Amino acid sequence: MSPVGAVGQPFTRLEGHDKVTGTARYAVEYPADGMAYAMIVPATIVRGVITGVRTEAASALAGVLAVLHHGNAPRLAAGVDAELYRLQEPTVHFRGQAVAVVVAETIEAAREAARLVHLDYDVQPHRTELSDQDPGLYQPGHVNPSYPTDVSAGDFDAGFAAAPVRLDLAYRTPSYHNSPLEPHASTAQWRDGQLLVHDASQGTLPAQELLSRLFELPMESVRVVNAHIGGGFGGKLYVKIQTVLAAMAARVVDRPVRLALTRQQMFGPVGYRTPTIQRVRLGADRDGRIAAVAHDAVSQTSTVTEFAEQTAVYTRNMYAAPNRRTTHRVVRLDVPTPFWMRAPGYTPGSFALESALDELALACGLDPVELRLRNDTTVDPESGHPFTSRNLAACLTDGARRFGWSDRDPTPGSRREGRWRYGTGMAGSSYPARIRPAAASAAAYADGTFEVRINAADIGTGARTALWQVAADALGAPPQRVRIEIGDTALPYAEVAGGSTGLASWSWAVVRACERLCERLAELRGVVPAGGLLVEASSAEEVAAQATLPRFAYGAQFAEVRVDADTGEIRVRRLLGVFAVGRAVNPTTLRSQLVGGMTMGLSMALHEEGAFDDRYGTWANHDLASYHISSNADVPAVEAYWVTDEDSQLNPLGIKGAGEIGIVGAAAAIANAVHHATGVRVRELPVTLDKLLPG
């Protein structure tokens, strides 16, 4: 590595100007001759069978090119992905399922024609209510993505029974919905048997693979581009139905087709965070050292595809306890399939465990920070191996110092100013630091410039800029002489942007490609051929050779709230987080990711709640007018810091990733602060005034 020093500098985003001026193109903004527009017709029943489709009125509308449904749509290959196998059969699995698609010359005509499509149904009884007493609860084979479902160590029952301090607590979280500014959207066009798709996706490789299989095409006949993505939060990790239907419609009308979901269609049918019912049992000595912990999680999945949220996995690695048990149970309901949402499992799981630890601290008469420090460990309780690095204690102590935690009166409800009651709370955070293989190419040109290419995805995180900084240092070149190209299956292989693996994985391949290019240039004594010099490298072998060790990022979150004693109104005054996330490639974009995650945690704590109506099998608040998220007025000054966190067993740069950890623990910190302010413990999110006033 050269001493250029681009890594660690707060460069502004390379694409920032294009985004703020509107020249950055998103999935349905790419121009093409003869563009047509598609609109999905959703099922209006929860469960049943389509017995008739009437399309006459829709087809007669001026500008309508086609109305596709299970009776006339092109056949897709079966057995590829049940979520994408639409317009192939008359079965309705959930309300909002795509049952027809209208294609027209204008978006207005497509929207009106979709309204005119009429379907007849044989309606069947449905089940949509999640309960921990449901007789259909079962133990899945694994939980997302491949964790063991149930894990135990020691003897929890005996350890719990013998503990002087015992807590048996129940927590609930509702469903949550990814609401990126850019909805799920795709533009598809066919050219001489080749399929080109511009897709709002957190990774183009899964789309390329699935489209090739569904349409029975060679992989090289499918190209997917995602140069700019307007947010994802996990919801765009894999192909959604609009991608497949846009490609299908484009083939039928022999024209490019754009299909963007409406905001209402974003709520449910394309995924959401499952509601959870959680039971946490803690047994400890009177000094607060945990002897036994059990975390049992219940969630839902659909009848289409199993998705088992890894809710209790957070508890497996976070704090030391000799006797541990974590379990997951799932029930199949007539609902859309849940999907990934920022820090899946860790987000709802941390709310339960970190809230329970706050209750344990009160029961033991301990400070919540001190309780966590007493149960810290350098050895992973799950595997028995030392963590490659664990700076949780540094986050806790530095966060407490910055927040002014030592001035806190621990007595709930002790601080009042007029009608307002003030309180502070905190929570720990963790998230796995994973690596996936990738490949990259690096090119040198005679004019002294360089270009690095990799099929990475920038979903608004600043990944494009961070990779550019990594490349500049690896090449030993001034950053202004380096170009970066991402977001296209025509580029070297890279996995999706998700699970905080993106930059950590892609940077490894970029470093290796740049190092190889430098070696070739040294062999040529610095003389670049007239046509340029191109090399490619992969990290696959190195990643595969890595030892399986516990690798995690950590954090500590602190919150101050005020609560109106008469109305129950809650206001967050400040949030502060300190994190251990490996090496900071770009402090500006890193802080943005952490603050964004903490803000989502605030929204989860106080506002967000999917209000499901079991009578109709859908969410009553399926738009941004009624599904409340935090607005500017709700979010105070949010401070994010990080501690030195060197880890030589991660990747060449020691990057852990920071996209997920900001949201982990944030809701618990706020709920704990509300309890400190009021003395009322709310164990079911969101914390709203109706849950406070009775107390």
Side-chain angles (χ1 to χ4, degrees), residues 41-47 92 94-97 99 119 121 123 616:
V41 179
T44 56
I45 67 167
V46 184
R47 179 171 176 263
V92 174
F94 54 84
R95 183 181 288 271
Q97 175 185 315
V99 291
L119 293 100
Y121 301 98
V123 180
Y616 303 105

Side-chain angles (χ1 to χ4, degrees), residues 581-660:
V581 289
R583 189 176 185 185
V585 175
N586 186 314
T588 298
T589 56
L590 172 57
R591 181 173 284 106
S592 177
Q593 282 298 290
L594 296 173
V595 168
M598 295 167 70
T599 302
M600 283 186 73
L602 184 158
S603 195
M604 171 185 175
L606 301 183
H607 301 119
E608 293 189 50
E609 178 181 19
F612 199 85
D613 190 328
D614 292 298
R615 297 170 302 169
Y616 303 105
T618 191
W619 288 270
N621 55 341
H622 55 277
D623 56 37
L624 292 179
S626 51
Y627 179 82
H628 294 161
I629 60 174
S630 295
S631 64
N632 289 348
D634 299 307
V635 181
V638 182
E639 300 175 63
Y641 304 94
W642 47 92
V643 298
T644 300
D645 187 34
E646 296 182 1
D647 192 327
S648 61
Q649 301 183 70
L650 290 171
N651 47 59
L653 290 174
I655 299 168
K656 285 185 176 179
E660 323 285 328

Side-chain angles (χ1 to χ4, degrees), residues 280-291:
V280 176
R281 284 169 286 175
L282 294 172
D285 62 24
R286 300 199 182 278
D287 291 330
R289 289 180 173 82
I290 301 171

Side-chain angles (χ1 to χ4, degrees), residues 167-172 350-364 366 368 371-372 408 410-413 424-427 570 667-688 690-695:
L167 298 179
D168 189 342
L169 306 164
Y171 300 90
R172 295 184 72 120
S350 66
F351 166 67
L353 180 64
E354 296 293 338
S355 296
L357 284 177
D358 198 64
E359 301 199 46
L360 180 62
L362 281 169
C364 295
L366 279 176
L371 177 81
R372 287 165 173 81
R408 179 185 194 254
T411 307
T424 52
M426 59 79 55
I570 307 166
I670 293 169
N672 292 339
V674 170
H675 174 266
H676 183 236
T678 64
V680 179
R681 177 69 64 178
V682 178
R683 300 188 181 98
E684 181 176 356
L685 292 180
V687 183
T688 48
D690 58 299
K691 297 168 185 171
L692 290 179
L693 288 176

Side-chain angles (χ1 to χ4, degrees), residues 105 156 256 297 338 393 428 488 574 596:
E105 292 181 342
F156 167 76
D488 192 331
R574 57 186 176 127

